């Protein structure tokens, strides 16, 4: 699957989200990077795969998660492209 990083939302509420987006992927935060304006959160989603989300710097900080914490990526189905080999 190909997903543009700016189309991925991150939540620190892993268990009880009730939202209209059907694609929710839980993982562990492996990296949080921010500059003055933008931020990037990278989740380890298992099997050697990671998922990257581009968020505002304020959004990254307001999540309240640290490297090693659990988090959930939320992706609307219209933002996912599936490819096959």
């Amino acid at each position: 699957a190909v997903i543009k990083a700016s189309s991925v939302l991150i939540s620190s509420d892993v268990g009880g989200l009730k939202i209209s987006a059907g694609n929710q992927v839980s993982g562990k935060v492996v990296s949080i990077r921010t500059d003055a304006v933008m931020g990037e959160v990278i989740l380890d989603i298992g099997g050697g795969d990671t998922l990257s989300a581009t968020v505002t710097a304020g959004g990254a900080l307001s999540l309240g998660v640290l490297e090693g914490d659990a988090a959930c990526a939320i992706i609307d189905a219209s933002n996912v492209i599936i490819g096959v080999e």
Side-chain angles (χ1 to χ4, degrees):
V2 178
I3 306 159
K4 188 175 177 183
S6 60
S7 298
V8 179
L9 304 174
I10 300 291
S11 174
S12 56
D13 183 3
V14 178
L17 292 176
K18 293 187 182 194
I19 56 173
S20 62
N23 299 306
Q24 298 178 37
V25 182
S26 294
K28 180 171 58 169
V29 177
V30 292
S31 175
I32 301 173
R33 291 180 253 170
T34 61
D35 61 22
V37 178
M38 295 302 295
E40 178 184 60
V41 179
I42 299 177
L43 295 182
D44 176 349
I45 58 171
D49 295 318
T50 60
L51 203 148
S52 177
T54 304
V55 297
T56 63
L61 296 174
S62 70
L63 283 171
V65 294
L66 301 172
E67 290 181 10
D69 288 349
C72 181
I74 304 152
I75 308 120
D76 188 63
S78 64
N79 292 317
V80 179
I81 300 169
I82 300 294
V84 293
E85 290 184 38

